[in-house]
Amino acid sequence: MTDTALATLREHLLQALENHPGHETRRLFHGRGRCWPGLEQITVDWLSGVVLVMLFREPSPALRPLLMELLETPQWQASGARGLLLQHRYVQGSESEWLAGEPQAQWSIIEDGLRYLLDLGSKQNSGLFLDMRLGRHWVREQAAGKRVLNLFAYTCGFSVAAIAGGAAQVVNLDMARAALSRGRDNHRLNEHDLSRVEFLGHELFKSWGKVRKSGPYDLVIIDPPSFQKGSFALTQDYRKILRRLPELLSEHGTVLACVNDPDIGPDFLIEGMAAEAPQLRFIERLDNPPEFPDISPESGLKALVFQQG
């Protein structure tokens, strides 16, 4: 990480802090999009008062002094930041390091006026992927009166957005029951009626009967990890889901299908859907948040909308 790159990072962070979004959670700097040479392995998030710096490669020794220097700037002090957290993503199992502020094991954030509970310090993934912000907003706008199936639900961010948008029922499926438990917490934070939310802690490919039982669905959301040991590999298993969609959907049902692998473009989904469920037509690709610039549109998050009929 060169002096020039560090100066660029400092400039971006000062500008972002000066115009920070108040209580709303946002990414402040997205080096992973490769738009700034030398900063490809760093991201910085504003988590409703906690600043989270994520490093995906061991940084130069000059980075820490830069971060400590920023703590003393007027922009930082005026931002209302209550903590600075440094996460070493390149070290397997490494706990995050608090550089400033009182350590918080859990932290409540706000996105689009909704609240989510994050884990800070002990887990690499805190509980909400910020690049999907506009996807959650889209679901909230589409959900009124609909039955929604949320596959690979994780901590149920889409489910929270759907219920906030007036969904009649949401079914969340994820094999990680601890993540679904956090999903319940997220719904409770927003004072949602849990009688309209179902949580299935099962492995998808062994649970089609349980999934169909609560259908048909007006909206199906598919947001899988690129790889989940022993249960899912994107390039091998995604098509198995696509071919099941017609039996899960209502007559004019909609699908939001997502891919977060930078090496796989949107054609993977468009061509896969055409081959496995040709009755679903491609409608649009959702925009990614502007705070996630990428040197290649093909590399950013892919969130594609399809409709049956």
Side-chain angles (χ1 to χ4, degrees):
M1 193 175 291
T2 66
D3 290 344
T4 301
L6 286 171
T8 299
L9 177 61
R10 184 180 191 279
E11 179 183 344
H12 275 273
L13 288 181
L14 288 177
Q15 183 177 4
L17 284 170
E18 188 173 351
N19 300 293
H20 79 95
H23 293 297
E24 284 280 325
T25 291
R26 290 289 186 276
R27 177 144 293 183
L28 299 179
F29 181 78
H30 184 63
R32 300 284 278 173
R34 299 165 295 164
C35 295
W36 297 280
L39 297 171
E40 295 87 350
Q41 301 301 323
I42 183 170
T43 65
V44 184
D45 293 337
W46 172 265
L47 304 178
S48 298
V50 170
V51 177
L52 171 62
V53 180
M54 288 184 282
L55 305 175
F56 293 83
R57 183 182 300 161
E58 187 171 4
S60 69
L63 179 62
R64 182 185 292 262
L66 170 68
L67 295 174
M68 300 308 291
E69 175 195 343
L70 285 172
L71 291 175
E72 306 300 324
T73 63
Q75 291 94 327
W76 181 281
Q77 295 174 4
S79 72
R82 296 177 57 185
L84 175 63
L85 185 61
L86 186 62
Q87 189 180 83
H88 303 271
R89 295 290 293 256
Y90 57 92
V91 180
Q92 185 69 29
S94 172
E95 291 197 2
S96 301
E97 178 183 3
W98 287 88
L99 298 184
E102 186 70 24
Q104 305 285 335
Q106 296 180 347
W107 186 252
S108 177
I109 66 167
I110 298 173
E111 180 198 80
D112 203 14
L114 299 173
R115 304 188 74 88
Y116 301 90
L117 192 61
L118 303 188
D119 292 307
L120 299 181
S122 61
K123 298 180 180 179
Q124 288 198 333
N125 292 326
S126 60
L128 196 72
F129 295 105
L130 303 189
D131 57 349
M132 192 56 84
R133 176 170 66 86
L134 296 184
R136 286 185 286 271
H137 182 79
W138 180 88
V139 166
R140 187 174 183 175
E141 289 188 324
Q142 300 294 318
K146 293 184 177 179
R147 297 184 63 81
V148 180
L149 173 63
N150 184 18
L151 299 177
F152 305 95
Y154 189 40
T155 59
C156 305
F158 280 119
S159 179
V160 169
I163 293 296
Q169 191 77 21
V170 182
V171 176
N172 296 290
L173 185 139
D174 198 292
M175 64 184 297
R177 299 193 177 195
L180 292 179
S181 179
R182 175 50 50 84
R184 287 188 183 90
D185 294 337
N186 287 333
H187 277 292
R188 291 188 184 106
L189 270 178
N190 292 281
E191 301 181 348
H192 288 167
D193 179 3
L194 284 175
S195 68
R196 293 159 57 196
V197 188
E198 188 174 353
F199 303 91
L200 300 178
H202 304 291
E203 197 273 310
L204 173 60
F205 297 112
K206 299 177 182 178
S207 306
W208 290 114
K210 294 183 178 66
V211 171
R212 284 197 304 269
K213 184 178 179 180
S214 297
Y217 303 95
D218 306 300
L219 173 60
V220 174
I221 302 161
I222 315 168
D223 184 22
S226 296
F227 180 77
Q228 196 170 50
K229 187 175 181 180
S231 66
F232 188 82
L234 190 145
T235 55
Q236 300 174 26
D237 295 324
Y238 212 126
R239 285 193 172 211
K240 298 176 187 177
I241 302 172
L242 299 183
R243 70 177 62 122
R244 292 275 193 166
L245 289 174
E247 66 189 74
L248 299 176
L249 286 164
S250 60
E251 184 179 1
H252 299 292
T254 302
V255 174
L256 178 63
C258 310
V259 168
N260 59 25
D261 189 324
D263 296 323
I264 296 179
D267 286 348
F268 170 81
L269 287 173
I270 294 172
E271 294 171 2
M273 191 72 80
E276 303 296 341
Q279 56 270 68
L280 274 81
R281 55 192 174 89
F282 172 62
I283 302 297
E284 64 175 327
R285 176 182 175 181
L286 302 185
D287 291 335
N288 287 329
E291 62 268 27
F292 284 83
D294 201 294
I295 197 170
S296 168
E298 300 293 292
S299 298
L301 173 70
K302 277 72 64 174
L304 276 60
V305 178
F306 298 85
Q307 188 165 34
Q308 180 157 258

